Amino acid sequence: MAQRTVHLLDDNATVRDWLVAGGWSEPVAELAELLEPDGDPWGENGRWVLTNGPDVTLLKRRLYELCPLWTDQSLPEVVEGGPVAYRGPTGADHEDTWRRVHVPGDGLVDWSEFCFTPAYRVALSGTVFEVDQAEWRLLRLASTGPCLLYVNGECVLATGMVSYMEPIEHEVRVWLPSGESSVVVSSWQVGFRECRQVVRLRVGGLPVRVVVPSPGADEERAALAEQLLDAVGTPRWGMTEPRLELTGPDGVPLRVRVGDVERRVRLDDGRATVSLERTPAEEGPGSASMLGTGELTARVWLDDDSSPVFRDLGVAVLGPRYRGEPEGDPATWREEVLAHAADGQNGCAAELAAATRDPAHAPRADRLEHALGMLANRADCSDFEVLGLLHLWHRVPEASWSTEPADTRAAVREALLGMKYWIDQPGLDAMCYFTENHQLVWHTAEYLAGEAFADETFANTGWTGRRHAEHGAALAREWLTARLAGGFSEFDSNAYLAIDVLALVSLVEFGADGELVELAAGLLDKTLFTLATNSWRGAHVSAHGRSYVRTQRSARFEETAPIMWLCWGVGALNDATLPATALATARRYVLPDAVRAAGRLSGEWFGRQRYRGTYRAEHDLLSRPYSSDLAVYRTPHAMLSCAEDYRRGLPGLQELIWTAALGPETQVYVTHAPNDAVHSSARPNAWAGNRILPRARQHRDTVLALYRIPTDDPAGYTHAWFPLSTMDEWVRSGTWLAGRRGAGYVALSTQDGARVLAAGSTAGQELRANGPGLAWVCVVGDADRDGGFAEFVAALGEPGYGDGTVSYRTRHGVELALDWTGPFTVDGRPADLDALGDERPHLDNPLVRIPFGAERMELDGHVIDLRRGRPV
């Protein structure tokens, strides 16, 4: 045995095989040396920077100058399973063992972590280069934070630069002697919320062997294993039952581990199924929002003890409770939501639901420990937990609270009185104040806490509760008025619309300010109405202003899904229980019949939604208008939606610009990916968001989309999510790939067609263009309008692709054309001529048409005043 595994650089000369240790977290004690914890939060040394990722990079650089990586320490020997001892920047000593990783195609070793409180992050990666003849090599190290690069124990490169999301590349020329040379990278970052901590190493000049020392490894068997494992994939990301599907070369014996369960299987006829026989491990205590990926990791080895090489495949076990059609009545849906929440992981929601179902229930201290700990540490997302605690404070009578083993009500009171409620108040923390949903939650939390304890003194500010209530109410009023008239900047977010609902129903239920309550009630009606019109069969599958990967793969994970279950009997019951529970326990707020009916409307539908507003510097850190134009086409069997011309050609974040759906897991869309990550600390990532936003336009059942990929793009491609395993059948026809699920059809085309990836976590689900991938056309249809699936496919025709242009004659005979700079045309006529007279309405669909500037919105007799809301 050679006691090692040997690997090649990839086509970009990138090292793909490493040993890693860490990342370790250490407290950040130096903030007070650089920022003012009190007084005006703005200016060069203002604490405003702490939770705005791009702007915090200069602060991170200053922190590194105060607390850098230690260079005067010995490095651990690079050997798989070997001990690692390393001193972090604060002097903390860390221990770990080297563990193997094979990085994805972007070449990034990734320790990214969402940091709810400020934290230094330190990590190591190591490998070995082998050359037969001594020679100079150019090493290109890319990172998002300071790094030390060691070759044979000598520090050859030290970087101090910090970036937000995209790594910065540094170069150094090194002499590699013949034989083996150890390579170690020490990585530093500091996390304030999303912490993007990645490194990548490329080798310029002649290739090198990449060697991973590994006791007991057989080099030849490991090389064979690598070849075989690179052909293994899982064709189904979402499993409704815990049975993992694998594909790959026929006859290959595999070991598969998910969590603590390991199985041996053989690929017979190139396929195998692994029964997990377990409930997936929880990601931690539930919160009001779900920031995780929802994924489990299936680690796959060749069934040979002398080969330590493996591949990791991401999969998810889906919640079984999904409905595309309503069953029962509103009282039944409410009880189902409450029973689900009472058994759930979110402590505040569980206790609120339990107390609602059983008036004698006493809130349990252990179920509120997580929420109280969030407030005590001023962790990000504490604002959500404040609202959960306030619901319990108001809903559970004082006599029902238990004092054993501790006085839980007193602990809640102390936490609320000690909290920081806005950026202008004292404290250095990583809580977010600068996104739209957090703004309203903070304003609501401050207002309601201030009213609840009007004559008390709040410890953080020294203000009375009455002053806090006035402060929060003024900010909330400004926020509500703007959104009621013009709509959200985070348009139709399937994550954050739920958080908006949580804040709005809290205001309606507990607010004493009648004007504020009416504003909130009107906006809540309008928000739930747009959720009804922009969703389909319990799936909120419109284009989104902000979204996460797992919700784009399964609508069962959408935070809005339990709200739809409660309101009109479709959707899913998942871990995002607090918004739906707050709505289910409402006493003042009653869902208007007209809104409930909108959620159950079927048939063919085409609607438009136009949002306009203005960012405010001290809330959004931007001073410019925002806008979105959403199109939604629905039939009983399919849906297509597009945010038209949304910031085309500019950097993206978490926007889902267009999407088609035939079911909760049958979602089809294209993104311009900047990396291969799927977690929330990469924004944008492989599937949520676009590095550069496309130009996309929709005409009823058809979307045309154009993409721009710079020559220096880190990924250099667009790709499509097209999950074949969720479809009943699929075919190729010319440049099209078309699929059917039930009576719904979807077809996707790009120049020269696209290939389906056959291996990895996205096998049978990801498409890569055979051609440039700069233009795509997507069409939906169904049996009611298009006949059989074969008829639909035969009628597709072929799009025309040019240099930065795409044209298409639909099967209905409509000529569509789009280029990057000219007007989108329909039958040769510019589609936007109505905008010249500002005739495009705020909302326009079969149920309502409201022009911008209208003073009221009427829906089947239900009236919302778009300046004042509506009475409760």
Side-chain angles (χ1 to χ4, degrees), residues 341-351 361 363-372:
D343 291 336
Q345 293 296 307
N346 181 272
C348 289
E351 295 309 286
H361 177 80
R364 294 162 288 184
D366 61 324
R367 300 305 301 274
L368 300 184
E369 183 178 342
H370 174 69
L372 292 171

Side-chain angles (χ1 to χ4, degrees), residues 184-529:
V184 174
V185 180
S186 174
S187 169
W188 181 101
Q189 254 293 2
V190 60
F192 306 106
R193 306 184 72 243
E194 63 266 20
C195 178
R196 183 79 166 130
Q197 185 176 14
V198 294
V199 300
R200 181 183 62 231
L201 187 61
R202 289 177 173 157
V203 181
L206 293 171
V208 301
R209 289 191 190 93
V210 176
V211 175
V212 179
S214 180
D218 183 289
E219 180 178 331
E220 293 184 0
R221 292 188 180 186
L224 174 62
E226 192 162 41
Q227 297 165 19
L228 296 171
L229 291 174
D230 279 341
V232 172
T234 176
R236 187 183 297 271
W237 178 80
M239 304 173 289
T240 53
E241 298 293 335
R243 291 194 296 270
L244 172 66
E245 299 176 27
L246 295 173
T247 59
D250 185 34
V252 174
L254 299 173
R255 283 187 295 124
V256 183
R257 180 186 298 160
V258 178
D260 55 1
V261 175
E262 187 169 313
R263 297 283 186 266
R264 283 180 160 84
V265 296
R266 184 179 297 274
L267 296 174
D268 292 327
D269 294 326
R271 306 187 72 87
T273 300
V274 182
S275 178
L276 304 182
E277 298 179 358
R278 66 188 297 274
T279 301
E282 296 292 340
E283 292 182 347
S287 182
S289 184
M290 300 187 298
L291 296 175
T293 64
E295 285 194 328
L296 302 169
T297 298
R299 181 157 291 181
V300 182
W301 295 266
L302 189 67
D303 192 5
D304 186 316
D305 291 338
S306 65
S307 172
V309 174
F310 61 82
R311 295 292 182 263
D312 285 338
L313 306 174
V315 293
V317 177
L318 305 176
R321 305 200 69 181
Y322 171 81
R323 283 183 189 151
E325 296 289 343
E327 299 174 11
D329 55 27
T332 301
W333 307 333
R334 178 179 184 271
E335 173 55 27
E336 288 169 335
V337 166
L338 292 175
H340 174 75
D343 291 336
Q345 293 296 307
N346 181 272
C348 289
E351 295 309 286
L352 180 60
T356 303
R357 301 176 78 212
D358 177 9
H361 177 80
R364 294 162 288 184
D366 61 324
R367 300 305 301 274
L368 300 184
E369 183 178 342
H370 174 69
L372 292 171
M374 294 268 291
L375 270 64
N377 291 296
R378 294 191 182 171
D380 186 43
C381 299
S382 290
D383 45 336
F384 305 157
E385 304 300 341
V386 170
L387 291 188
L389 293 171
L390 282 166
H391 273 263
L392 287 170
W393 185 267
H394 286 287
R395 292 296 188 221
V396 180
E398 184 174 355
S400 297
W401 290 77
S402 173
T403 58
E404 297 293 338
D407 190 337
T408 309
R409 195 170 193 269
V412 170
R413 176 183 178 277
E414 181 181 1
L416 294 173
L417 287 173
M419 195 57 189
K420 175 183 175 182
Y421 287 96
W422 191 239
I423 186 63
D424 58 6
Q425 296 164 22
L428 299 176
D429 54 78
M431 297 188 295
C432 182
Y433 307 94
F434 298 126
T435 57
E436 186 175 53
N437 68 95
H438 279 288
Q439 292 166 17
L440 180 61
V441 176
W442 277 122
H443 304 335
T444 302
E446 181 174 28
Y447 164 64
L448 293 179
E451 280 198 337
F453 306 101
D455 297 320
E456 302 275 358
T457 298
F458 281 62
N460 187 53
T461 57
W463 296 359
T464 64
R466 189 167 287 103
R467 182 177 174 185
H468 270 292
E470 292 171 355
H471 184 265
L475 294 171
R477 185 173 290 106
E478 183 180 8
W479 192 101
L480 292 165
T481 302
R483 273 69 183 181
L484 184 58
F488 298 98
S489 63
E490 297 173 333
F491 62 91
D492 290 272
S493 170
N494 54 357
Y496 296 114
L497 186 149
I499 300 303
D500 297 329
V501 167
L502 169 63
L504 292 169
V505 72
S506 301
L507 279 171
V508 174
E509 290 302 296
F510 308 125
D513 184 324
E515 179 186 349
L516 211 57
V517 168
E518 290 192 4
L519 281 168
L523 183 54
L524 183 51
D525 289 351
K526 185 181 174 188
T527 300
L528 292 174
F529 173 71

Side-chain angles (χ1 to χ4, degrees), residues 553-575:
R553 294 184 177 180
S554 173
R556 300 173 203 244
F557 287 122
E558 293 177 319
E559 284 87 336
T560 47
I563 294 174
M564 291 190 285
W565 187 294
L566 172 71
C567 291
W568 41 87
V570 296
L573 298 180
N574 56 36
D575 291 339

Side-chain angles (χ1 to χ4, degrees), residues 27-35 63 66-67 90 120:
V28 182
E30 291 74 22
L31 286 177
E33 299 180 38
L34 301 176
L35 302 175
L63 284 169
L66 291 176
C67 210
T90 66
Y120 290 120

